[in-house]
Amino acid sequence: MFRGRAGELGAFLRARRDELRPEEVGLTVWDEPRRVPGLRREEVAELASISTDYYTRIEQARIAVTPSVLAAVASALRLDVAQRHYVFGLLSQQGGEARRPRAQCVQPQLRRLLDGLPTIPALVLGRYMDVLAWNHLASVLVTDFARIPRHERNWVRLIFLDPRMRKVHADWEDVARQAVAQLRMEASANVGSARLRALVGELAERDAAFRAWWSSYEVAIEVRGTTMLHPTVGTLELESSTLASTIDPDQRLVSWTARPGSRAGRRLRALSELPADVAHGVPVAA
């Protein structure tokens, strides 16, 4: 599922090239049949002002690309902010050796911030989108994270392999695709990680949708809003925000909020007063 950094870059550029149509980038379309669904390599090379051979070598991972050339290719392929972040993340890792990262614990400042949000469900995601911490309302709204074994407490893994998550999210497919796109973004800095490879390998083996979406090379930085279905209070239409830690860039706080005065806001306040085991219908342990 991973091709090395140069291979990942080439596959990503090829996927984006296949999505673009000549008319989208100002090229004239003639009547002759085209053998590729999107742009040809020579067309990308022309737009980026490089030779077709050079661009072909980039896609085939046979040459190290420079930042200036990658910037030209990114412009030719109309890459957005998230996509540029991804390709330049891959570029920054070229030639470097993969280092085993330290085990993560939630930053104390983020822990205090979580605890100070009684009416806003929030959690802290770490490297590979592991769930490092959560507040009471997140456990009431989403799932009782404390009951999940620590090695399984990964946001993407839960989305695909925990049946409860499919019931919680009314728009599960959108949420799942976002999660895959975010995990793909993680890969730009962690292609050589055995932990990430194992996670992707497990999900690809166990879920066909994950396998297909991972192969599409979509990337994303932030989580969008979602509609959640709760067995106690019903439907909640929520917006999402992501705050990155300045102390540890590999940790970020994700929160879900409701519009002021909305029914979802009132339902969140009602949920904040319930124990997690009661809210999810789990018997209280003796």
Side-chain angles (χ1 to χ4, degrees), residues 155-156 159-160 166 169 171-183 207 209-210 213:
W155 182 250
V156 189
I159 288 291
F160 281 92
R166 296 177 186 254
H169 294 281
D171 49 354
W172 179 85
E173 182 173 331
D174 288 342
V175 171
R177 293 187 73 123
Q178 288 176 42
V180 174
Q182 286 184 286
L183 188 63
D207 193 281
F210 177 89
W213 296 334

Side-chain angles (χ1 to χ4, degrees), residues 249-270:
D250 285 335
Q251 295 190 28
R252 54 198 182 277
L253 184 143
V254 178
S255 64
W256 294 274
T257 57
R259 293 183 180 276
S262 66
R263 181 171 56 181
R266 295 191 294 273
R267 290 178 173 179
L268 281 181
R269 286 192 293 275

Side-chain angles (χ1 to χ4, degrees), residues 10-20 59 215-217:
F12 180 83
L13 296 178
R14 188 159 52 251
R16 301 289 77 78
R17 175 169 64 85
D18 287 345
E19 291 177 342
L20 279 177
E59 275 200 4
S215 298
S216 70
Y217 281 86

Side-chain angles (χ1 to χ4, degrees), residues 75-97:
S75 295
L77 292 174
R78 305 295 196 266
L79 299 190
D80 61 24
V81 173
Q83 292 166 340
R84 286 172 180 265
H85 185 89
Y86 176 74
V87 296
F88 280 99
L90 286 172
L91 181 65
S92 69
Q93 301 297 317
Q94 281 190 171
E97 296 183 0

Side-chain angles (χ1 to χ4, degrees), residues 56-178:
T56 300
R57 287 171 178 266
I58 294 172
E59 275 200 4
Q60 295 177 346
R62 294 190 290 125
I63 193 172
V65 63
T66 64
S68 59
V69 169
L70 185 56
V73 171
S75 295
L77 292 174
R78 305 295 196 266
L79 299 190
D80 61 24
V81 173
Q83 292 166 340
R84 286 172 180 265
H85 185 89
Y86 176 74
V87 296
F88 280 99
L90 286 172
L91 181 65
S92 69
Q93 301 297 317
Q94 281 190 171
E97 296 183 0
R99 294 177 295 177
R100 176 171 295 184
R102 297 178 181 177
Q104 283 186 296
C105 293
V106 62
Q107 289 292 330
Q109 296 91 333
L110 291 179
R111 176 73 267 179
R112 292 193 294 270
L113 182 56
L114 280 176
D115 294 338
L117 299 172
T119 61
I120 297 177
L123 49 81
V124 174
L125 297 181
R127 201 179 298 118
Y128 321 124
M129 299 179 72
D130 288 336
V131 180
L132 303 181
W134 56 92
N135 64 5
H136 171 70
L137 190 48
S139 66
V140 171
L141 175 65
V142 184
T143 191
D144 192 353
F145 294 101
R147 292 179 177 268
I148 300 170
R150 184 171 182 177
H151 70 278
E152 297 178 1
R153 214 179 284 156
N154 175 275
W155 182 250
V156 189
R157 192 181 190 281
L158 291 173
I159 288 291
F160 281 92
L161 302 185
D162 189 335
R164 292 170 296 184
M165 299 297 276
R166 296 177 186 254
K167 296 179 181 179
V168 167
H169 294 281
D171 49 354
W172 179 85
E173 182 173 331
D174 288 342
V175 171
R177 293 187 73 123
Q178 288 176 42

